[in-house]
Amino acid sequence: MLMYIVVFVLLFSGCMANKVADSVIEKSCKNISDSIIVETITNFEKDCISYLKENPESQKARNMDDLIMVGLNNAISYLTKVKRIVETIIKERKYKSSLSKKSLEDCLKLYSKSAHMLTSGLNYLKKGDFEKARFEMNDADEAPIFCELKFNGYNKQISPVKKENNLLLTLIYIPLQFLFEHIL
């Protein structure tokens, strides 16, 4: 009988912890969705909630600090994935022209710069220095924005990573907006 009670208590505790984390995620994503920066991003609140919930680490989240870390790790991970996709496109010569190749190579440089900014921001967060973390992370959105401009703005070609860059922008803004909210 004691064994059943222990198992029940553990299961109940786990369910309650998940509900707390889900509540923190939903409330936090709703709060930052009203920001001027992200209000133009379609489905930002929905994406914020789904991408945070899909990371198992988010189930341990109890406050905004925890969500900033989870969101930042999501952004760094996805940035690495997009960078690999672009490297593969270049390596396998799946681009349309030499101008597209040059634009993709420029995108790689932008991704590297943004990866450095996000990683540096993560290091400052781990030290508890939110101002320096915000300063480092603030321009990390340049990679997806300027990468798309390389195609759509300058040479009127279609970016082979448009969808990925749009999602990357969302994933970068999640921890950045949480950080702005936290500092204010």
Side-chain angles (χ1 to χ4, degrees):
M1 179 67 172
L2 181 61
M3 179 75 139
Y4 290 116
I5 293 173
V6 170
V7 169
F8 175 76
V9 169
L10 288 175
L11 286 173
F12 183 74
S13 298
C15 289
M16 291 308 293
N18 287 346
K19 286 186 183 223
V20 168
D22 287 350
S23 175
V24 169
I25 290 169
E26 289 169 12
K27 181 182 175 200
S28 299
C29 287
K30 181 167 179 42
N31 286 346
I32 65 169
S33 293
D34 296 333
S35 165
I36 292 172
I37 292 175
V38 298
E39 70 181 6
T40 60
I41 298 176
T42 308
N43 299 319
F44 181 84
E45 183 178 344
K46 185 182 101 192
D47 288 343
C48 178
I49 292 168
S50 68
Y51 285 103
L52 286 173
K53 281 185 178 181
E54 101 182 5
N55 185 327
E57 289 297 310
S58 69
Q59 292 308 309
K60 299 174 189 172
R62 299 293 170 260
N63 54 43
M64 186 73 74
D65 293 354
D66 296 339
L67 289 181
I68 294 169
M69 295 296 272
V70 171
L72 190 49
N73 282 319
N74 280 351
I76 291 169
S77 175
Y78 194 73
L79 176 62
T80 302
K81 179 181 176 179
V82 175
K83 190 175 176 191
R84 284 190 198 123
I85 291 169
V86 171
E87 288 169 342
T88 301
I89 292 170
I90 292 171
K91 181 180 175 186
E92 294 178 359
R93 299 175 190 227
K94 292 186 176 179
Y95 45 84
K96 304 233 186 257
S97 69
S98 60
L99 189 53
S100 290
K101 180 183 179 190
K102 172 73 172 112
S103 294
L104 288 168
E105 289 169 343
D106 290 346
C107 289
L108 285 177
K109 292 174 188 170
L110 290 166
Y111 295 141
S112 293
K113 182 179 174 187
S114 287
H116 175 74
M117 290 175 188
L118 292 175
T119 303
S120 182
L122 181 63
N123 291 332
Y124 281 118
L125 279 176
K126 288 177 181 176
K127 295 175 185 174
D129 192 336
F130 295 103
E131 278 295 326
K132 285 185 180 175
R134 183 191 60 79
F135 180 77
E136 285 297 318
M137 295 166 51
N138 200 41
D139 293 329
D141 64 350
E142 290 179 359
I145 291 171
F146 289 122
C147 180
E148 286 305 305
L149 281 176
K150 292 276 181 196
F151 287 91
N152 301 331
Y154 302 138
N155 64 24
K156 305 290 185 212
Q157 295 190 38
I158 297 171
S159 167
V161 287
K162 182 176 182 67
K163 183 178 82 173
E164 290 83 357
N165 276 328
N166 288 339
L167 178 55
L168 178 58
L169 190 60
T170 297
L171 292 176
I172 289 171
Y173 282 154
I174 292 169
L176 187 59
Q177 290 305 117
F178 283 155
L179 195 54
F180 282 138
E181 186 85 12
H182 180 75
I183 291 172
L184 298 176

